[in-house]
Amino acid sequence: MSTNEIAGPANVIGSKKRLPPEVSILGVLIGIAIVFEILGWILVGDSFLANKQRLSIIILQVSVIGIISVGVTQVIITGGVDLSSGSVVGLVAMVAASLAQTSANPRAVYPSLTDMSPIWAILAGLGVGLLAGFVNGSLVAKTKIPPFIATLGMMVSARGLAKWYTLGQPVALLDDSFTWFGKSFNVFGFPLPLPVIIFLLVAVVFHVALGYTRYGKFTYAIGANPQAARVSGINIGGHLIKVYAIAGLLSGLAGVVTAARAASGQPGMGVAYELDAIAAAVIGGTSLSGGVGRITGTVIGTIILGVLTSGFTFLKVGAYYQEIIKGIIIVSAVIIDQHRQNKRKKT
């Protein structure tokens, strides 16, 4: 049995010559934006979509979650889950910031390592994220414990390490060459933040990797039918370690971007980011049952979350109500996913 045959369930919709699932998700995004536009004129007397600054803030807000969600999507496609990404962001932000401080800081974490090239802070951050992902993957692959438990343990441990690293103290006074990665540039009169460019590049790379490489075929195969994947000769354990390591690496990248944007490192950074990343993936059509999901859908799902947050703020909806509504949307997306799965099994 070939890997192409195994990966088939991941592309059932496309094989029937129907419109890609992203089309309906994009329709939802457009519908939400139109609703906020109408409500904006009725309740606020202003346009929601015509404000360039607001649109720039939306895409900036979703960039970090988007980077994380690209890695989380791949984990979910294998039938797993990653609850540690938000905590890894906080830990990486602390580590990267500590290596990006200037000599003007009298309380630098490493006084002898100030004013260094930002590449060292970035590499250290990526390395911490990669290590966390590797540990997650190894626990899942080698000990056979559920991904939920493995990544939950990493979530708690990484957050604890982030607080222990400087005993809960923030890391400030970072070099401008490092914070440059969180700045914006004008493109045709529209402010485009560099984190957004990084997010889009990451999305393109892994869209290609999942859709057109052996890595992608193996990822879908494991999520669709682990037993068939094993029989076909796929090293499931080794591949899972690779997928979780990539997810950790992307969380590390998100942590570096977060520290650069804030020009500081704080232990509380990234709290609940993992939930938003999972929500973006599920809203974007990734099945929690595994074997189904696309990066393009996740990108749209991430933007939907950003539009919802910005739209509710624009309409002056309280933060508590925003969380309640977001929770309802996440549960609804899972219910819809389960309905799709049941319908697919019947056919």
Side-chain angles (χ1 to χ4, degrees):
M1 184 180 294
S2 69
T3 55
N4 287 334
E5 292 172 330
I6 300 172
N11 302 302
V12 170
I13 295 178
S15 65
K16 294 183 179 181
K17 297 183 179 180
R18 297 177 181 175
L19 290 175
E22 291 83 359
V23 173
S24 61
I25 302 168
L26 181 60
V28 172
L29 171 61
I30 295 173
I32 292 173
I34 292 174
V35 168
F36 280 129
E37 179 70 12
I38 295 173
L39 291 177
W41 285 111
I42 295 174
L43 302 177
V44 185
D46 194 8
S47 172
F48 174 68
L49 297 174
N51 190 311
K52 289 184 179 180
Q53 184 177 7
R54 182 176 298 112
L55 295 178
S56 176
I57 292 174
I58 291 174
I59 60 177
L60 177 59
Q61 288 175 334
V62 304
S63 58
V64 171
I65 297 299
I67 293 171
I68 299 171
S69 65
V70 170
V72 169
T73 296
Q74 298 173 68
V75 171
I76 296 176
I77 289 174
T78 65
V81 68
D82 186 358
L83 300 178
S84 67
S85 51
S87 296
V88 172
V89 166
L91 175 59
V92 168
M94 294 294 289
V95 173
S98 69
L99 296 175
Q101 292 182 291
T102 67
S103 55
N105 190 334
R107 296 183 178 180
V109 178
Y110 301 111
S112 61
L113 298 178
T114 55
D115 297 325
M116 295 195 305
S117 168
I119 189 64
W120 298 111
I122 294 171
L123 288 176
L126 294 178
V128 170
L130 182 64
L131 178 60
F134 178 81
V135 172
N136 282 336
S138 297
L139 287 173
V140 173
K142 302 298 184 182
T143 68
K144 308 300 181 183
I145 63 176
F148 180 91
I149 299 300
T151 58
L152 178 63
M154 179 58 70
M155 178 182 76
V156 177
S157 298
R159 186 64 65 187
L161 286 171
K163 295 175 181 178
W164 166 83
Y165 191 70
T166 58
L167 301 180
Q169 298 300 311
V171 181
L173 291 178
L174 308 189
D175 194 277
D176 289 342
S177 60
F178 177 78
T179 59
W180 177 83
F181 291 95
K183 294 182 178 180
S184 300
F185 303 90
N186 284 325
V187 179
F188 302 112
F190 185 84
L192 185 62
L194 185 57
V196 176
I197 298 175
I198 295 173
F199 165 41
L200 294 178
L201 288 175
V202 167
V204 169
V205 168
F206 285 99
H207 171 73
V208 173
L210 283 178
Y212 303 98
T213 68
R214 178 181 294 183
Y215 168 82
K217 291 180 179 179
F218 287 3
T219 301
Y220 283 114
I222 292 171
N225 192 329
Q227 184 60 36
R230 184 177 293 106
V231 171
S232 71
I234 296 176
N235 181 354
I236 293 180
H239 192 79
L240 286 176
I241 292 175
K242 188 183 300 183
V243 172
Y244 279 91
I246 289 174
L249 179 66
L250 292 179
S251 294
L253 177 59
V256 170
V257 171
T258 299
R261 277 183 55 193
S264 67
Q266 300 179 36
M269 285 178 165
V271 172
Y273 279 15
E274 63 278 353
L275 301 181
D276 284 340
I278 293 171
V282 173
I283 291 172
T286 302
S287 173
L288 291 173
S289 300
V292 176
R294 287 160 64 96
I295 297 300
T296 47
T298 296
V299 171
I300 299 173
T302 304
I303 298 174
I304 287 177
L305 287 180
V307 170
L308 286 172
T309 300
S310 181
F312 288 138
T313 303
F314 171 64
L315 297 178
K316 297 180 175 58
V317 176
Y320 299 130
Y321 296 111
Q322 292 187 32
E323 295 299 324
I324 293 171
I325 295 172
K326 185 185 293 185
I328 293 173
I329 291 172
I330 293 172
V331 172
S332 300
V334 174
I335 292 174
I336 293 172
D337 170 59
Q338 291 298 315
H339 176 72
R340 282 200 304 257
Q341 295 301 316
N342 292 334
K343 188 176 180 180
R344 184 177 293 115
K345 290 177 181 178
K346 290 179 181 179
T347 56

